[in-house]
Amino acid sequence: LWKRRASLEIWQEDADLRRFIFTRGLLMAIPLAQPFFVLLGKDTLGGGVADLGLLVVAAGIAGIISSPFWGRFADRNAKALIRSISLLGIACILLMLSFPFWPEASRTATRLAPSF
């Protein structure tokens, strides 16, 4: 009970901590959106779905390769990192949501890749 009370006091007193936790919670939408990207791409591309699995694998490999960069970026300036990730996430989500409205000829899995 004491630990809960102490945690609650920290939460109430530290506005920066509250903002940080709130922001991190909102940013959880970015990695959780990827399965919906795959489903939207599948619906939009129809028969050309075979490449979508490769895009998911490529996104995972890209995440592994880019982790050291993002880690160093976070060490230098966490606020700028959160801002950058937020803007990139918003851009990817908007790109993905606009994908079904692109001209038919330009709707390919390789053009969908940047949104992953």
Side-chain angles (χ1 to χ4, degrees), residues 67-106:
S67 291
F69 165 77
W70 291 112
R72 283 191 298 275
F73 190 4
D75 289 343
R76 277 187 264 135
N77 191 343
K79 196 179 277 191
L81 171 72
I82 296 295
R83 191 176 301 121
S84 299
I85 289 174
S86 300
L87 292 173
L88 283 171
I90 290 168
C92 288
I93 290 171
L94 290 175
L95 179 66
M96 190 61 202
L97 290 175
S98 70
F99 187 69
F101 303 104
W102 293 7
E104 188 79 29
S106 64

Side-chain angles (χ1 to χ4, degrees), residues 10-39:
I10 292 171
W11 176 261
Q12 290 172 340
E13 293 171 2
D14 194 345
D16 288 336
L17 177 65
R18 281 195 310 271
R19 280 193 296 271
F20 175 77
I21 292 173
F22 181 72
T23 303
R24 291 293 301 203
L26 290 175
L27 289 174
M28 284 304 300
I30 295 171
L32 294 175
Q34 191 173 17
F36 296 104
F37 289 179
V38 172
L39 292 175

